[in-house]
Amino acid sequence: MLAEERLLLDAKNPRFYGVDGSSDQQSMLHTLWRDFAVDEIAYSIAANGYFAYEPLFATPEDGDHVVVEGNRRLAAVKLLRHPELRRAVGATDLPKISAKAVQALSELPVIVTSRELVWQYVGFKHVNGPQPWQSSSKAEYIAWVHNELGVSLQDIAGRIGDQHATVKRLYRGLMVLQQAEAVFDPSDRAKSHFSFSHLYTGLDYPGIRKFIGLTEARDFTPRPIARAKVPALGELCGWLFGSKSRKIAPLVRSQNPDLRKLDEILQSADGTAALRQGLPLDVSLDISRGDEKLFREALVDAKRKLQEARGKLLTGYTGEADLLQSAEQIGDLADSMVDEMQRIRRQRRRPPKRTARQR
Amino acid sequence: MIAELLAPAATASAECHADWLELRALLAGDLNSSLSDLARAIRSAGTIEAVIEQQMRDEGSSPDASWDWGEDFEEEISPAEFMERRDDLSEAVTDRASDELDDRALACGDAYPFTRGPQHLQARRYAVRSVYVFLLLLSTDGVRAGPPGLAATELFEDLAAVAAQSFFGRHEDVHVYHFGFPRRRTLRGFKPALDELCVRLGEGGSARSRPDQRHQKDAKLDLVTWRSFPDGRMGQLVAFGQCAAGADWTEKLSELQPRAFTGKWLTEPLGVEPTRMFFCPFRIEREGWETKVIDGGLLFDRCRIAHHCAEVDDELLDGCERFSAHVLEQRRAHA
C-alpha cells in the first residue's frame, strides 16, 4: 500500500496523445476528468470503495511513484478525496464521501514495478483487451515498446494476444504519420478529432498503397514511405484530414464508404487527377470509373428499380396521370436506347472492310 | 415526454450521437461531455454487437448466425476478433459523432453554444439562453415539454420568422407575414388574412371564395416572407414557409405547395412563383439532405435557424430560456 499523495499521474500516459493540455499534475487531472470518463470510476469507488484486487502499477521516479497503469482510477480517488481538486477541474457532480471513506482511500494497493516490466499487461488491457484506448494511443504505446524496449512487433502481438496483425498495422500507421509530418501538420487538420484510424486502415488498401509507394518490403519498418513519395503522402493526408488554415474539408468522412471510394479513385490516373483539381469524392469516383463502367452500373440499377416498380404496380398504382406519363417516357427512352445499342453492336460486329490489296 | 438521458444505440445516426453529447454537456455540472462518455454509453448499452452481427451478415461470413457467444457464432468470429471489431466500431462511432459536432459548429457559426476540443464538448455558460439549445430540446423532448402556459410552437414559429427575415436580408424591403393558425398578430379568419396578405404583397388579387374555405385554418402555410422593390410593382422574391416542430416533420416536408396554394386560394397568380421554405428544430442528416431539399425547398434545420437568429429580441429569447431551463431541470430531476 502506498499513500495516495505519493502517487503521481503519468505524463507519458498514451491517452494524452494528441490531446490539449500540459503535463503538470493538475492539468493532467483536468484532462482525464474532461476527456476520459473518470466519473464512472469515481461513482463506483464512492459507492463501493476501492477494489483491493485491482492494484495500481507504479514506477519510482524522483522520490515519488508515477502510476503507469491505473491513471483514471488514481484521478478518481484524488478527486473524491480532495474538494479543492474537484473545484479546480469543475468536477462538481461527484458525490461527497464520508471522512471515513476519505481515510480508507488514503492508501491504495500498488505494485511497484518498471515501465519495461509491465508493458505486456498494459498492452493487453488497453490495446487488445477490455478497456481500449483510441487507436492513436495504442499506436504510440506499441511504437514505444518496439522502438525503446527493442521488442519485435511479432513478440508484442504474441504477448498481448493479437492474432489479426493489429499491432503491426497500428505501428505502421504511426510511422507513416510521423513521415507525413514533414509535409503535413496534424494540428492543422480540419476536424477537431484526429481520425488516425482512417490512415492506418487505408494503408491496407491497394490504391492507397500504390499511390504512396508502400511496398511489402518497407511495410513495417520505421520509414515505410520512400523519400520520393513523401509529397504524395502529404496529398493523401490532405484528402484524409483536410486543412483548417486553408479551409479545406476532408474528403473522407467515414471509412465506409468514403475510404473505399478514395482507394478506388487512387487506382486510376484520371480519378487521381480529378482529386488534384479539387473535385468532390463522388465526382472523382465517377471519373475514375470511366463511362463504360458507369453505363453498366446505371443500366443494371435502372433494371433493378423497374423490376421493383413492376412488383408494386398492382397495389401501388391508383391511376395517377403523372405516373403513367413517367412510365411512357421511360418506355420511349428505353426504346431509343435499345435502338442505339443495337446499332452500335452491329457496327462493332461487322467485319472490317477489306482493302483492294487484301482481296 | 421528459426522460432521463438514455444511452444511444450504436446503430443510431451520427446526428443522434451528437445530440446525446450536447445534452450530456448541458446536464453535467461542469457543462462538459467527452467522446469517451459516448463510447462508454454505447458499450454499456450493448448495441455494438448488433452492428458486428450486421457486418458479418453483409460480409456473408455468417448469414444465419444469431448473436450469441456459442455455437455458430464462435465458429465464425473469435473473441479477439470481436474485441478488435468492437474497438474499431466504437472509434468509428465517436469519429462520426465528432465530425458531426464540427459540422454543427460550422453551420451555426457564432450561434453554436458549445466549444470543441479533440476529445470533448464544452457548453458555454450562456448555452441555456440560446436559440440552438431551445431547438435541440424542442426536438428531443417535444413541444409539450416546456413549463405550463408556454407555447413552444409559437416560439418556434417566431424564430422561423426571424430566420427567414435574416436569410432574405435585414432590410426595409424584406417583410414577413405570420399566416399560421392560430394567428396572433394578423387577421384571424382565413379569408381576411389572405386578403390582407395580398394587400401587403401588392399582388395576388384577393382571397378566392371556395366552398371548403371556412374549414381552412392556414392550409399548411405558416409564414410568408418577401423582398419587394421600392417601385411596389408586381414580380418580387416571395417564399412560403411551413413550420414543423414535431417528430413527424418528415411527413410534412412536401405538404405545402406554393403553386397549388396560390392557384387554389388567390384570385390572381403571383408574378413570380413563390419559393418553398421548411423549418424544423431537428438537425437534418447529411445523407438524404438532397431528397429533403427536393421535397421541402429551402430547408431551415436547427443549425440554419440558429445561425440566422443572431438578432432575436429579448422577449423571444426569454421564452426560449424558460423552455430550456425547465426541460433541463426536469431531466435532472428524472436522472
Side-chain angles (χ1 to χ4, degrees):
Chain A
M1 300 288 278
L2 283 176
E4 173 264 306
E5 283 89 352
R6 302 295 305 278
L7 295 168
L8 301 179
L9 297 168
D10 181 13
K12 294 177 183 165
N13 187 336
R15 283 186 199 277
F16 295 145
Y17 177 71
V19 175
D20 303 333
S22 60
S23 57
D24 66 82
Q25 288 294 306
Q26 191 160 315
S27 294
M28 285 191 282
L29 186 66
H30 185 219
T31 302
L32 284 168
W33 169 256
R34 183 191 63 193
D35 291 356
F36 296 109
V38 169
D39 58 337
E40 62 174 340
I41 299 175
Y43 277 109
S44 167
I45 294 173
N48 306 302
Y50 191 94
F51 294 129
Y53 50 81
E54 273 202 304
L56 304 169
F57 288 75
T59 181
E61 282 181 17
D62 301 330
D64 282 313
H65 286 83
V66 173
V67 170
V68 293
E69 167 53 30
N71 277 272
R72 288 168 74 228
R73 279 174 283 154
L74 178 62
V77 169
K78 285 183 181 291
L79 289 172
L80 286 170
R81 293 194 73 224
H82 304 289
E84 72 281 9
L85 290 178
R86 281 208 294 276
R87 279 193 298 276
V89 304
T92 50
D93 288 0
L94 287 184
K96 288 190 177 70
I97 57 173
S98 66
K100 193 177 164 191
V102 169
Q103 181 57 33
L105 291 172
S106 62
E107 288 193 331
L108 299 172
V110 178
I111 293 175
V112 178
T113 180
S114 67
R115 292 180 192 274
E116 292 75 12
L117 289 174
V118 82
W119 74 260
Q120 293 98 326
Y121 176 67
V122 175
F124 168 73
K125 195 168 176 185
H126 297 299
V127 176
N128 203 34
Q131 292 178 348
W133 289 325
Q134 58 181 340
S135 54
S136 51
S137 299
K138 291 178 183 179
E140 276 286 313
Y141 195 71
I142 289 163
W144 175 77
V145 174
H146 181 56
N147 297 341
E148 300 296 321
L149 305 186
V151 184
S152 73
L153 294 175
Q154 201 169 348
D155 268 2
I156 299 172
R159 300 270 188 95
I160 67 172
D162 165 36
Q163 298 169 323
H164 298 93
T166 306
V167 164
K168 289 165 80 173
R169 292 167 63 227
L170 285 166
Y171 175 78
R172 179 184 61 191
L174 187 67
M175 295 302 105
V176 170
L177 179 64
Q178 286 177 356
Q179 280 193 274
E181 284 173 8
V183 287
F184 163 76
D185 175 8
S187 67
D188 185 43
R189 65 186 183 269
K191 299 288 183 180
S192 304
H193 180 67
F194 184 51
S195 301
F196 173 68
S197 60
H198 289 358
L199 179 64
Y200 97 81
T201 306
L203 296 178
D204 286 325
Y205 294 176
I208 291 174
R209 291 177 65 87
K210 189 177 161 204
F211 182 72
I212 57 173
L214 185 57
T215 60
E216 279 186 26
R218 302 183 70 121
D219 235 352
F220 304 108
T221 63
R223 300 187 69 80
I225 308 298
R227 187 177 295 175
K229 284 288 189 179
V230 169
L233 177 60
E235 282 185 288
L236 174 70
C237 288
W239 294 325
L240 289 175
F241 305 117
S243 165
K244 201 188 307 175
S245 62
R246 288 183 290 150
K247 295 192 179 350
I248 298 172
L251 291 178
V252 173
R253 298 182 59 83
S254 62
Q255 285 188 27
N256 188 16
D258 290 353
L259 197 59
R260 290 274 180 205
K261 287 179 182 174
L262 179 64
D263 177 58
E264 191 178 337
I265 293 166
L266 292 177
Q267 293 180 46
S268 141
D270 289 345
T272 306
L275 281 184
R276 285 180 168 145
Q277 284 170 22
L279 294 174
L281 198 67
D282 284 331
V283 175
S284 301
L285 185 64
D286 280 352
I287 291 170
S288 74
R289 284 177 175 173
D291 286 353
E292 284 179 26
K293 192 172 178 185
L294 290 177
F295 177 72
R296 176 175 291 277
E297 282 178 0
L299 207 59
V300 170
D301 201 32
K303 183 182 171 190
R304 188 174 55 80
K305 283 283 179 196
L306 282 172
Q307 282 172 332
E308 197 181 312
R310 181 69 188 87
K312 301 272 186 272
L313 194 151
L314 286 177
T315 51
Y317 180 59
T318 52
E320 294 90 338
D322 62 324
L323 291 180
L324 179 59
Q325 196 182 6
S326 293
E328 287 167 351
Q329 287 167 348
I330 291 168
D332 291 345
L333 193 61
D335 285 345
S336 78
M337 283 181 65
V338 169
D339 288 347
E340 186 72 8
M341 288 168 72
Q342 284 174 337
R343 188 184 62 75
I344 293 170
R345 186 174 160 82
R346 276 197 301 275
Q347 276 179 351
R348 294 284 167 98
R349 296 180 71 179
R350 193 178 299 155
K353 285 180 182 168
R354 286 190 293 175
T355 60
R357 199 172 177 183
Q358 285 171 321
R359 277 190 220 111
Chain B
M1 190 184 122
I2 292 170
E4 59 197 90
L5 192 56
L6 300 174
T11 47
S13 64
E15 288 75 14
C16 177
H17 292 147
D19 280 358
W20 187 89
L21 282 162
E22 288 172 350
L23 284 172
R24 188 174 163 85
L26 290 168
L27 291 166
D30 59 351
L31 298 176
N32 169 273
S33 66
S34 69
L35 299 179
S36 298
D37 292 331
L38 177 63
R40 178 192 61 173
I42 285 172
R43 271 206 300 277
S44 60
T47 51
I48 215 143
E49 288 84 347
V51 184
I52 297 175
E53 188 183 3
Q54 185 59 48
Q55 273 187 348
M56 291 168 68
R57 286 208 177 100
D58 292 346
E59 291 163 5
S61 57
S62 179
D64 302 319
S66 55
W67 181 262
D68 189 341
W69 278 93
E71 299 165 10
D72 294 353
F73 177 69
E74 240 175 356
E75 288 170 22
E76 298 293 343
I77 183 170
S78 67
E81 189 181 349
F82 165 75
M83 294 276 199
E84 191 185 329
R85 285 195 184 208
R86 182 205 59 185
D87 294 355
D88 286 350
L89 270 171
S90 180
E91 197 158 319
V93 165
T94 52
D95 268 5
R96 282 200 303 270
S98 176
D99 286 356
E100 168 60 17
L101 292 171
D102 282 348
D103 285 351
R104 290 177 182 199
L106 187 72
C108 293
D110 292 341
Y112 193 54
F114 302 91
T115 54
R116 279 304 313 272
Q119 294 290 331
H120 74 278
L121 182 72
Q122 183 77 42
R124 296 182 197 271
R125 295 217 172 273
Y126 65 79
V128 73
R129 189 175 169 77
S130 71
V131 170
Y132 185 91
V133 168
F134 167 75
L135 297 171
L136 167 70
L137 296 173
L138 189 62
S139 70
T140 56
D141 291 67
V143 294
R144 293 193 177 84
L150 186 70
T153 46
E154 290 179 4
L155 292 173
F156 180 61
E157 285 176 14
D158 289 348
L159 290 173
V162 173
Q165 193 157 19
S166 160
F167 182 68
F168 272 64
R170 291 191 172 277
H171 192 272
E172 60 182 11
D173 293 335
V174 175
H175 316 271
V176 175
Y177 188 86
H178 289 264
F179 195 80
F181 185 84
R183 281 174 280 278
R184 288 167 286 144
R185 300 189 186 94
T186 48
L187 296 177
R188 293 199 170 201
F190 183 70
K191 187 174 182 305
L194 271 181
D195 286 337
E196 186 181 44
L197 175 63
C198 289
V199 169
R200 298 248 189 115
L201 277 169
E203 55 183 306
S206 60
R208 186 189 287 274
S209 293
R210 289 189 177 276
D212 53 346
Q213 185 191 75
R214 61 199 169 103
H215 303 300
Q216 281 299 338
K217 292 177 176 171
D218 55 25
K220 316 294 182 196
L221 177 63
D222 290 318
L223 64 97
V224 180
T225 309
W226 68 98
R227 181 159 188 160
S228 60
F229 291 93
D231 61 19
R233 296 184 182 184
M234 80 176 298
Q236 51 198 334
L237 186 58
V238 183
F240 281 11
Q242 184 177 13
C243 300
D248 59 346
W249 63 276
T250 50
E251 294 165 21
K252 298 184 171 180
L253 269 168
S254 55
E255 277 184 352
L256 174 64
Q257 297 293 332
R259 181 187 286 184
F261 185 97
T262 53
K264 191 173 180 183
W265 298 115
L266 301 183
T267 55
E268 294 171 12
L270 299 180
V272 177
E273 189 177 329
T275 300
R276 211 160 15 134
M277 299 183 293
F278 187 84
F279 300 85
C280 71
F282 297 84
R283 169 69 167 159
I284 300 178
E285 292 177 28
R286 182 178 286 266
E287 259 182 48
W289 177 272
E290 190 180 327
T291 55
K292 289 185 176 68
V293 167
I294 293 167
D295 287 341
L298 275 175
L299 293 184
F300 286 80
D301 72 345
R302 184 192 305 157
C303 294
R304 285 184 168 186
I305 296 173
H307 174 66
H308 278 289
C309 282
E311 292 177 32
V312 175
D313 66 55
D314 280 348
E315 193 183 342
L316 182 51
L317 208 51
D318 286 346
C320 293
E321 185 179 4
R322 272 183 65 208
F323 180 90
S324 301
H326 179 82
V327 173
L328 290 173
E329 197 180 301
Q330 293 294 304
R331 275 186 172 265
R332 285 191 194 100
H334 284 75

